[in-house]
Amino acid sequence: GDSVTQMEGPVTLSEEAFLTINCTYTATGYPSLFWYVQYPGEGLQLLLKATKADDKGSNKGFEATYRKETTSFHLEKGSVQVSDSAVYFCALILGGSEKLVFGKGTKLTVNP
Amino acid sequence: SQTIHQWPATLVQPVGSPLSLECTVEGTSNPNLYWYRQAAGRGLQLLFYSVGIGQISSEVPQNLSASRPQDRQFILSSKKLLLSDSGFYLCARSRVGGNTIYFGEGSWLTVV
């Protein structure tokens, strides 16, 4: 079945460090890919998305590129801030599916 | 803007008591609506989704039920809560044929 695998956390970084959270997927079709962020005690917010191969989603300094050849959608940020501390979820949705498939989430803690 | 309202935001219920969580959506007609649960230490699990009034699909067998009495209203219920029902419940919406799902702020349920 369709699935998303993301690196397990927790990830702890110092402020201004470079961030990569790996995400790979398995899908029977051609999915759209998403990163959601969940700040402590809150719901999920859409961070960025990409709908076709080689698309790059970006928002708030975060980027992820849809790599069909490696079935990956790794999240990156060049310089993290304390305010980026949150849980990050990679997800996919297949066209016509109406349902998101989530990874298990990666908790990021950024220390000053 | 398209807003999702969930209430109550937090509740503590005894085992065996009933449950009703309500979700309403503004700014869009005929949305797809979803209930997800996030249990402690676990990922996001799709519980129910609905593509229209009275149309409910259940993803996993469980102690919960869902109803959609109006186009923009989605209710999660239980007749008798179990300890294992504790968790963070998220309502979500998407456009019909759209490929992006947006989440509400969530409701924290603790069953004691």
Side-chain angles (χ1 to χ4, degrees):
Chain A
D2 305 323
S3 65
V4 174
T5 303
Q6 61 182 104
M7 64 185 287
E8 294 191 19
V11 174
T12 302
L13 296 173
S14 297
E15 206 165 22
E16 299 184 1
F18 184 86
L19 169 71
T20 300
I21 300 178
N22 290 338
C23 172
T24 57
Y25 67 89
T26 302
T28 52
Y30 200 9
S32 294
L33 302 173
F34 304 84
W35 278 101
Y36 286 85
V37 58
Q38 185 178 31
Y39 298 104
E42 299 184 10
L44 270 70
Q45 298 178 25
L46 177 65
L47 181 60
L48 52 84
K49 70 176 184 180
T51 58
K52 61 183 186 296
D54 300 325
D55 269 2
K56 177 184 285 187
S58 61
N59 186 24
K60 299 182 180 179
F62 290 90
E63 293 183 339
T65 300
Y66 190 143
R67 301 288 188 197
K68 185 181 178 184
E69 63 276 14
T70 54
T71 62
S72 65
F73 194 53
H74 304 321
L75 182 68
E76 296 182 337
K77 186 173 185 181
S79 176
V80 293
Q81 305 300 312
V82 173
S83 57
D84 294 326
S85 298
V87 179
Y88 292 82
F89 292 92
C90 185
L92 67 81
I93 190 168
L94 285 170
S97 165
E98 313 285 2
K99 293 179 279 186
L100 273 171
V101 176
F102 280 97
K104 292 187 176 181
T106 303
K107 183 176 181 180
L108 170 66
T109 301
V110 180
N111 295 318
Chain B
S1 64
Q2 299 183 32
T3 304
I4 304 173
H5 297 287
Q6 274 188 249
W7 70 91
T10 306
L11 68 166
V12 180
Q13 295 283 99
V15 170
S17 65
L19 171 73
S20 181
L21 297 179
E22 191 163 341
C23 171
T24 58
V25 178
E26 294 179 356
T28 183
S29 296
N30 195 30
N32 295 327
L33 297 175
Y34 309 80
W35 279 111
Y36 282 82
R37 177 171 61 198
Q38 188 176 27
R42 299 167 70 177
L44 285 148
Q45 181 183 38
L46 177 62
L47 302 177
F48 302 95
Y49 73 96
S50 171
V51 298
I53 296 173
Q55 302 178 60
I56 309 295
S57 296
S58 175
E59 289 297 295
V60 293
Q62 60 204 310
N63 185 42
L64 302 169
S65 61
S67 62
R68 185 169 177 176
Q70 301 180 43
D71 181 46
R72 301 177 188 180
Q73 185 183 32
F74 203 26
I75 299 172
L76 184 69
S77 303
S78 174
K79 292 182 179 178
K80 290 185 177 182
L81 284 168
L82 305 172
L83 287 173
S84 57
D85 292 324
S86 294
F88 189 44
Y89 289 82
L90 290 154
C91 180
R93 63 153 181 87
S94 68
R95 283 190 300 109
V96 174
N99 71 348
T100 304
I101 296 178
Y102 298 92
F103 289 81
E105 289 300 314
S107 297
W108 289 98
L109 169 66
T110 302
V111 182
V112 296

